[in-house]
């Protein structure tokens, strides 16, 4: 605040001193110096750390003991229920807002001097500078160890009658780290400078004006987020019953739900808005002879630099064990309920790194020269106008996600009885999900809008005066560099086992089904993307003043330049790796001395493994330039110089893109149904025995580049009319329009999928009597796919319209002819390289191999079958697409010339050059290898007669 007040005080004092009137030859010329400076600096640092550690143990241990043989031990239900939640949350954020507004007005006073006075001088400067630095660092670590156990123990000399026994566990572990930076910079400057009028007899200096508006904004942002989640969860139900008599138990179950999540988010957001309006007006000058011309300089400079870095790392590790192990030992009979183990495990690592930048630069510059009246020997007015816009953006996003999961689910009921056993169904159900998601994204938008208007004042002179001079420059530079790197790794080990064990002294009155069901999902998703948009719009208008002279005056000179440069570099790298080991086993073991009746036995497995890598670059460059140059009319009696005009419009768009995507998926899936039955006499009847497997493995890599360059230039140059009696020089015009569009694209995609799938149904039956068997089958559906897609898309559109019109010429004798040169060049160069590699390897084994050894004869057996469906696919697609459109319109006109005699001829030169070069390289390589084994081998060894069902392999 003190700085602003101090600057304002200086400006007010300068204005007060600079306004006045000089009436004598010895009075000093009016002068004014106005300076306004604004500087803002912000530095922010936000570190945050969150750590959570949890160890939870829950145990239920009821114990019942009775030593009397005639006394029964009865217990109610026994259960252990645990809900454990552990969370670490870290949030680091910075927010900055900078607003700079400057309004400066400078007005020069009038000067009245007889002769020999110096010209008035004015200087006006506005300087705005903003610096913002932000650093956000967030770390979150969550570690959870949860143990839940239900272990009821019953020991009795008589009978044991127990209720249901269960262990239920719900464990949740979360680490959340969030680091964010947000910056807003707004700079607004309005500068108005007006020169005073000058009235001098002779020998006075011309007035001078200088106006400068400088805006500078620098933003640096760094966001770092790390999240680590580690979970170990154990859930166990182990009821133990030992009885000299009978054991009668209820249901026994272990249910576990475990969820582990690591979430890291690093975000940067920057917005820069620069708005400058500069107006400069020259004062009028009236002089008899020998006075200097007025001079004007106007500069508008806008510079913006943004640097952003975002780094996110997420690691999730989960170890979960769920076990149901009821143990029953009885001298008599065992009547058991349902026994089950259910597990749902979810492990997820999510890393998100993003940068977003928005730069908006708007400049409006207006420069107007004052009128000049002189009898003879006065200098011409001079004008210079510069508008410069420079924007530079650098972005880097890095995201790493790692998810590792080990899940074990087991149902192992053990029954040992001297009598009969009547048991319910036994099952193990497992549902596991493991996911690693990495997202790195950069988004940049640059908008530059410049409007420059330069108008020269009219000149009236009798003889020997210099011509006016004008120079106008508009320069726009937009540079964007983006780098996105995403890595996702997912590893899953899932084991599901149902292995009930029954040892019976006499018979199995009846048993329920025995099954193991497993659903395992593993995925790694890496997404790296860059998006850039650059919009440059320049409108330049230059108008020369009219000149009236009797003889010997110099011609007006005009130079106008519009330059637009847009450069974009993008690099996207995505790597995804998914590895899955899934084991599902149903292996009930039955040893019976009598003739049991058993239920169905099955193992079902659904395994899914996926690696998805996506690297994307998208760039849009739009350049629009409108340049208008108009020369003033000239009226002269004799010996005057001709007007000169030069107009240049240059547009350069350069884009470089590199996209690399790698996806690797490896799957090992094993599904086994292997019930073993050893029977002393007969098997009254057995249910079906089956193994069903569905395995899907896929690797998908997508690397794509998209570029669009649009260049639109409209140049209009108009020569002024010339009227001369004799000996005048001809007008000269030069007009150049150059458009250059260069695009380089490289896309590389690699996908590898490897699958090993084994499905086996191998029931073993050893019977001393005459059994009746159910159907036995093995069904396998295996799918393996590798898909690599590398694509480049480029579009270049160049549209140029150049119009050059010469002014009319009227001369009596000895005048020079007008000359025109017009050049238009369009150059477009595109290079594209696409490389796609896909490899798919599949090993699928499906086997149905029931083995039966029978002592007497086989009353009847069901069908035996093995069905296999295997799909292996490798798809590689490399494509390049380029569209180049060049449109040029040239119009050169030189009107008729009227001359009495001895005049020079007119000269015209017109050149049009269009060059388009495209180079494309596409390579696709796909390899698929498949090994299939499908076997149906039922083996029956019987000493008596046999009644067999059908056996088939598909």
């Amino acid at each position: 605040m003190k700085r602003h007040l101090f600057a304002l005080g200086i400006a007010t004092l300068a204005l007060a001193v600079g306004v006045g009137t000089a009436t004598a030859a010895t009075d000093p010329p009016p002068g004014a110096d106005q300076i306004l400076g604004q500087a803002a600096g912000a530095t922010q640092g936000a570190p945050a750390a969150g750590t959570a550690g949890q160890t939870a143990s829950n145990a239920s241990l009821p114990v019942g003991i009775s030593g009397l043989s005639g006394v029964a031990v009865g217990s109610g239900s026994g259960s252990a229920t645990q809900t454990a939640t552990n969370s670490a949350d870290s949030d680091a954020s910075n927010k900055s807002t900078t607003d700079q507004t400057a309004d400066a007005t400078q007005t020069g006073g009038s000067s009245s001097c007889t002769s020999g006075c110096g010209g008035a001088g004015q200087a006006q400067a506005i300087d705005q500078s903003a610096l913002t630095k932000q650093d956000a660092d967030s770390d979150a670590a969550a570690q959870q160890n949860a143990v839940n156990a239900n272990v009821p123990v019953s020991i009795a000399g008589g009978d044991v009658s127990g209720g249901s026994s269960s262990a239920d566990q719900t464990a949740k572990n979360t680490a959340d780290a969030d680091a964010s930076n947000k910056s807003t910079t707004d700079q607004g400057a309005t500068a108005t400078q007006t020169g005073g009028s000058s009235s001098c007899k002779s020998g006075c200096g011309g007035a001078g004006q200088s106006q400068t508006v400088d805006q500078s904004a620098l933003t640096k942002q760094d966001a770092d987020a790390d999240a680590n989640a580690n979970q170990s969860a154990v859930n166990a139900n182990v009821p133990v019953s030992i009885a000299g008599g009978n054991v009668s138990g209820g249901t026994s179950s272990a249910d576990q739900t475990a969820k582990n999540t690591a979430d890291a988010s690093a975000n940067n957001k920057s917005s820069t808005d620069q708005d400058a309006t500069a107006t400069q007006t020259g004062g009028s000058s009236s002089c008899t002879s020998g006075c200097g011309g007025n001079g004007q300089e106007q500069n508008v400079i806008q510079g913006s630099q943004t640097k952003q870095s975002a780094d996110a790392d997420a690691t999730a590790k989960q170890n979960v064990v769920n076990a149901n192990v009821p143990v029953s030992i009885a001298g008599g009979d065992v009547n058991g309920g349902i026994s089950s183990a259910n597990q749902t495990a979810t492990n997820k690592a999510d890393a998100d790194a993003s940068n977003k930048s928005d730069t908006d630069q708007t400049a409006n510059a207006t420069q107007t020269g004052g009128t000049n009246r002189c009898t003879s020997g006065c200098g011409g007015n001079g004008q210079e106008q510069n508008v410069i816009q420079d924007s530079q953006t650098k972005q880097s996003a890095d995201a790493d996600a790692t998810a590792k999961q080990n899940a074990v689910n087991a149902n192992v009921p053990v029954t040992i009885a001297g009598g009969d056993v009547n048991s319910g169904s036994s099952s193990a159900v497992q549902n596991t999900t493991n996911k690693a998601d990495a997202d790195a994204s950069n988004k940049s938008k640059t908008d530059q809008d410049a409007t420059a208007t330069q108008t020269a004042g009219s000149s009236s002179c009798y003889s020997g005066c210099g011509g006016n001079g004008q120079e106008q420059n508009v320069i726009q530079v937009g540079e964007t560099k983006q780098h996105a790197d995403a890595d996702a790794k997912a590893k899953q080990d899932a084991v599901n086992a149902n292995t009930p064990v029954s040892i019976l002294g006499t018979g199995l009155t009846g048993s329920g089904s025995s099954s193991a069901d497993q659903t395992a999902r593993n995925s790694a998703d890496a997404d790296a993307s860059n998006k850039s948009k650059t919009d440059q719009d320049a409108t330049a208008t230059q108008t020369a003043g009219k000149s009236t002279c009797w003889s010997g005056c110099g011609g007006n000179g005009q130079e106008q330049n519009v330059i637009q440069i847009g450069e974009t570099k993008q690099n996207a790298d995505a790597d995804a790796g998914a590895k899955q080991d899934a084991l599902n086993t149903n292996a009930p073991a039955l040893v019976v001395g009598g003739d049991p009746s058993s239920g169905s036995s099955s193992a079902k497995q659904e395994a899914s493994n996926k690696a998805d890598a996506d690297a994307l670059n998208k760039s849009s460059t739009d350049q629009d330039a409108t340049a208008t140059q108009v020369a003033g009319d000239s009226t002269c009696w004799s010996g005057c110089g001709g007007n000169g005009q030069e107009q240049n419009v240059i547009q350069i768009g350069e884009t470089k893109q590199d996209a690399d995507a790698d996806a690797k998926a490896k799957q090992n899936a094993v599904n086994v149904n292997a019930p073993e039955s050893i029977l002393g006499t007969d098997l009254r009847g057995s249910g079906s025995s089956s193994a069903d497997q569905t395995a899907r493995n896929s690797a998908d890599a997508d690397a794509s580049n998209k570029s669009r360059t649009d260049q639109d230039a409209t140049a209009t140059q108009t020569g002024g009319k010339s009227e001369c009696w004799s000996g005048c020089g001809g007008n000269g015009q030069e007009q150049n329009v150059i458009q250059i569009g260069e695009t380089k694209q490289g896309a590389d995609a690699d996908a590898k999928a490897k699958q090993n799938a084994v499905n086996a149904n191998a029931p073993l039956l050893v019977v001393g009597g005459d059994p009746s068997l159910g159907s036995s089958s093995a069904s396998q559906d295996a799918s393996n796919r590798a898909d690599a897609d590398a694509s480049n898309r480029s579009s270049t559109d160049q549209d140029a319209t150049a119009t050059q019109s010469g002014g009319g010429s009227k001369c009596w004798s000895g005048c020079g002819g007008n000359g025109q040169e017009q050049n238009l060049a369009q150059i477009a160069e595109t290079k594209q390289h696409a490389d796609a590699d896909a490899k798919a390897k599949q090993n699928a084994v499906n086997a149905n191999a029931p083995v039966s050894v029978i002592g007497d004869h086989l009353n009847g057996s069901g069908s035996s079958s093995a069905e296999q469906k295997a799909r292996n696919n490798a798809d590689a697609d490399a494509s390049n697409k380029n569209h180049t459109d060049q449109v040029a319109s040239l119009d050169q006109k030189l009107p008729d010339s009227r001359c009495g005699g001895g005049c020079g001829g007119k000269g015209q030169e017109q050149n049009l050059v269009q060059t388009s070069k495209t180079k494309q390289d596409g390579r696709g390589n796909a390899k698929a290898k498949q090994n299939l084994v499908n076997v149906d081998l039922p083996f029956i060894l019987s000493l008596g007669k046999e009644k067999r069902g059908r056996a088939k392999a598909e």
Side-chain angles (χ1 to χ4, degrees):
M1 180 61 70
K2 290 182 179 180
R3 179 179 295 174
H4 292 174
L5 292 177
F6 180 70
L8 182 60
I10 292 178
T12 305
L13 182 61
L15 286 175
V17 173
V19 177
T21 302
T23 58
T26 58
D27 290 342
D33 187 5
Q34 187 182 49
I35 300 175
L36 176 59
Q38 292 177 322
T43 301
Q44 295 176 319
T51 303
Q54 185 185 51
T55 300
S57 299
N58 185 45
S60 176
L61 302 171
V63 179
I65 301 176
S66 174
L68 301 177
S69 61
V71 178
V73 174
S75 64
S77 61
S79 65
T81 303
Q82 183 188 53
T83 301
T85 302
N86 188 46
S87 177
D89 190 358
S90 175
D91 188 359
S93 63
N94 292 312
K95 186 176 181 181
S96 173
T97 301
T98 303
D99 190 359
Q100 293 176 323
T101 303
D103 293 322
T105 302
Q106 189 183 52
T107 305
S110 61
S111 173
S112 176
C113 179
T114 302
S115 64
C117 295
Q122 290 177 295
Q124 186 185 47
I126 296 179
D127 189 358
Q128 292 177 322
S129 177
L131 174 62
T132 303
K133 293 183 179 181
Q134 294 176 320
D135 185 11
D137 188 358
S138 179
D139 297 308
Q143 183 168 350
Q144 185 186 50
N145 296 319
V147 178
N148 186 51
N150 181 45
V151 190
V153 179
S154 300
I155 302 175
D159 298 334
V160 173
S161 177
S164 61
S165 177
S166 65
D168 297 330
Q169 183 188 51
T170 301
K172 185 178 181 181
N173 190 49
T174 303
D176 189 358
D178 188 1
S180 63
N181 292 310
K182 186 176 181 181
S183 172
T184 301
T185 302
D186 191 359
Q187 293 175 324
T190 302
T192 304
Q193 188 185 54
T194 305
S197 62
S198 174
S199 176
C200 180
K201 187 73 175 176
S202 65
C204 294
Q209 290 176 296
S210 173
Q211 186 186 49
T212 301
V213 178
D214 189 354
Q215 293 176 323
S216 175
L218 174 60
T219 303
K220 293 183 179 181
Q221 294 176 320
D222 183 38
D224 187 1
D226 295 305
N228 293 304
N230 195 343
Q231 185 187 50
S232 298
V234 177
N235 187 51
N237 182 47
V238 190
V240 179
S241 300
I242 302 175
N246 300 324
V247 174
S248 178
T251 61
S252 177
S253 65
D255 295 330
Q256 183 188 51
T257 301
K259 187 176 183 181
N260 190 49
T261 303
D263 189 358
S265 177
N267 301 307
N268 290 313
K269 187 175 181 181
S270 172
S271 174
T272 302
D273 189 0
Q274 294 174 323
D275 191 353
T277 301
T279 304
Q280 188 185 54
T281 305
S284 62
S285 174
S286 176
C287 180
T288 300
S289 65
C291 295
N294 295 328
Q296 290 176 297
E297 181 184 3
Q298 186 185 48
N299 300 305
V300 178
I301 303 172
Q302 292 176 322
S304 174
Q305 186 177 15
T306 303
K307 294 183 179 180
Q308 294 175 320
S309 175
D311 187 1
D313 296 305
T315 303
K317 186 176 180 181
Q318 186 185 50
N319 295 317
V320 289
V321 178
N322 186 50
N324 182 47
V325 190
V327 179
S328 299
I329 302 175
D333 299 335
V334 175
N335 295 312
I338 300 171
S339 178
S340 65
N342 298 320
Q343 183 187 55
T344 301
T346 303
N347 189 49
K348 185 177 180 182
D350 189 359
D352 185 5
S354 66
N355 292 310
K356 187 176 181 182
S357 173
D358 190 353
T359 302
D360 190 0
Q361 293 175 323
T362 303
N364 294 308
T366 304
Q367 188 184 53
T368 305
T371 60
N372 186 9
R373 293 183 181 181
C374 181
T375 300
S376 65
C378 295
N381 294 329
Q383 290 176 298
E384 181 180 357
Q385 187 186 48
N386 299 306
V387 177
I388 301 174
Q389 293 176 322
D390 185 11
S391 175
Q392 185 176 7
T393 304
K394 293 183 179 180
Q395 295 175 319
S396 175
D398 187 1
D400 296 304
T402 303
K404 186 176 181 181
Q405 185 186 51
N406 296 318
V408 178
N409 186 50
N411 183 45
V412 191
V414 179
T415 304
I416 301 175
D420 295 335
V421 173
N422 187 1
S423 62
S425 62
S426 176
S427 65
V429 179
Q430 185 187 51
N431 190 351
T432 60
T433 301
N434 189 49
K435 187 175 182 181
D437 189 357
D439 188 0
S441 64
N442 291 311
K443 188 175 182 181
S444 172
K445 180 182 178 184
T446 302
D447 190 359
Q448 294 175 325
D449 190 356
T451 302
T453 304
Q454 188 185 55
T455 305
S458 61
S459 174
S460 176
C461 180
Y462 185 78
S463 65
C465 295
N468 295 326
Q470 291 177 295
E471 181 180 357
Q472 187 185 48
N473 300 305
V474 178
I475 301 174
Q476 293 176 321
V477 180
E479 183 179 1
T480 303
K481 293 182 180 180
Q482 295 175 320
H483 178 69
D485 187 2
D487 295 306
K489 298 179 182 179
K491 185 177 180 182
Q492 185 186 51
D493 295 321
V495 178
N496 187 50
N498 182 47
T499 54
V501 179
S502 300
I503 301 176
L504 315 176
T506 57
L508 179 63
T509 302
S511 68
S513 62
S514 177
S515 64
D517 297 333
Q518 183 188 52
T519 302
R521 294 181 178 88
N522 189 50
S523 65
D525 189 359
D527 187 1
S529 65
N530 292 311
K531 294 183 181 180
S532 173
K533 183 178 181 182
T534 302
D535 189 0
Q536 294 174 324
D537 191 356
T539 303
T541 304
Q542 188 184 54
T543 305
K546 183 174 65 173
S547 175
T548 303
C549 180
W550 179 255
S551 66
C553 295
N556 294 327
Q558 291 176 295
E559 181 180 357
Q560 186 185 48
N561 299 305
V562 178
I563 301 174
Q564 293 176 321
I565 301 174
E567 184 179 1
T568 303
K569 294 182 180 180
Q570 294 175 320
N571 179 259
D573 187 2
D575 296 304
K579 185 178 180 181
Q580 185 187 50
D581 294 320
L583 175 62
N584 187 51
T585 303
N586 183 48
L590 178 64
V591 180
V592 183
D595 48 354
S597 175
S598 62
S600 62
S601 176
S602 66
K604 295 181 180 179
Q605 183 188 52
E606 182 178 346
S608 173
N609 189 49
K610 185 177 181 181
D612 189 359
D614 189 0
L616 169 66
N617 290 313
K618 188 175 181 181
S619 173
S620 173
T621 301
D622 190 0
Q623 294 174 324
D624 191 357
T626 303
T628 304
Q629 189 183 54
V630 181
D633 296 336
S634 175
T635 302
C636 180
W637 178 255
S638 66
C640 296
N643 294 326
Q645 291 176 297
E646 181 181 357
Q647 187 185 50
N648 299 306
V649 177
I650 301 174
Q651 293 176 320
I652 301 174
E654 183 179 359
T655 303
K656 293 182 180 180
Q657 295 175 319
D658 183 32
D660 187 2
D662 296 304
K664 297 179 182 179
K666 185 177 180 181
Q667 184 186 50
N668 295 316
V670 178
N671 186 50
V672 178
N673 183 46
E676 298 180 2
S677 301
I678 301 175
L679 313 176
T681 56
D682 300 331
L683 178 63
R684 297 176 184 177
S686 66
S688 61
S689 178
S690 64
D692 297 329
Q693 184 188 52
T694 302
R696 292 180 176 86
N697 188 51
S698 65
D700 189 358
D702 187 1
S704 63
N705 292 311
K706 294 182 181 179
S707 172
R708 184 179 73 86
T709 302
D710 189 0
Q711 294 174 324
D712 190 358
T714 303
T716 304
Q717 189 183 56
T718 305
K721 182 174 64 174
S722 175
E723 294 184 5
C724 180
W725 179 256
S726 66
C728 295
N731 294 327
Q733 291 176 300
E734 181 181 357
Q735 187 185 49
N736 299 304
V737 178
I738 300 174
Q739 293 177 321
I740 300 175
E742 183 179 0
T743 304
K744 294 182 180 179
Q745 295 175 320
D748 188 3
D750 296 305
K752 296 180 181 179
K754 185 177 180 181
Q755 185 186 49
N756 296 316
V758 178
N759 186 50
N761 182 46
L764 173 63
L765 178 64
V766 180
V767 183
D770 48 354
S772 176
L773 306 179
S775 61
S776 178
S777 66
S779 299
Q780 184 187 52
D781 186 354
S783 174
N784 189 50
R785 182 173 65 90
D787 189 359
D789 187 1
S791 65
N792 292 311
R793 301 285 186 271
S794 174
S795 173
T796 302
D797 189 1
Q798 293 175 325
D799 191 355
T801 302
T803 304
Q804 189 183 53
S805 301
S809 176
K810 293 182 180 180
C811 180
W812 179 253
S813 66
C815 295
N818 294 327
Q820 289 180 309
E821 180 181 356
Q822 189 182 47
N823 300 307
L824 197 157
Q826 292 176 322
I827 301 173
E829 184 178 358
T830 303
K831 294 182 180 180
Q832 295 176 321
H833 176 70
D835 187 1
D837 295 302
K839 296 180 181 180
K841 185 177 180 180
Q842 185 186 50
N843 297 316
V845 178
N846 186 49
N848 182 45
V851 178
S852 301
V853 180
I854 300 166
D856 193 355
H857 64 275
L858 179 64
N859 289 330
S861 65
S863 61
S864 177
S865 65
E867 297 180 0
Q868 184 185 51
K869 185 177 182 181
R871 291 180 292 272
N872 189 45
N873 184 34
D875 187 3
D877 187 3
S879 64
N880 292 311
K881 186 176 181 181
N882 179 52
H883 175 73
T884 302
D885 189 4
Q886 293 176 322
V887 178
S889 299
L890 290 177
D891 188 5
Q892 189 182 52
K893 296 178 181 179
L894 195 58
D896 296 336
S897 176
R898 296 181 182 180
C899 180
C903 296
K906 296 176 290 186
Q908 289 179 303
E909 180 181 355
Q910 189 182 52
N911 298 307
L912 172 61
V913 179
Q914 289 180 319
T915 303
S916 177
K917 183 179 180 182
T918 302
K919 185 178 181 181
Q920 294 177 321
D921 182 20
R923 189 181 72 87
N925 187 14
K927 296 181 180 180
K929 185 177 181 181
Q930 189 182 50
N931 296 317
L932 302 180
V933 178
N934 186 45
V935 180
D936 182 34
L937 296 173
F939 177 76
I940 298 178
L941 177 60
S942 176
L943 300 179
K945 298 179 179 179
E946 302 177 11
K947 295 182 180 180
R948 300 188 181 183
R950 295 184 304 169
K952 63 178 180 178
E954 296 182 356

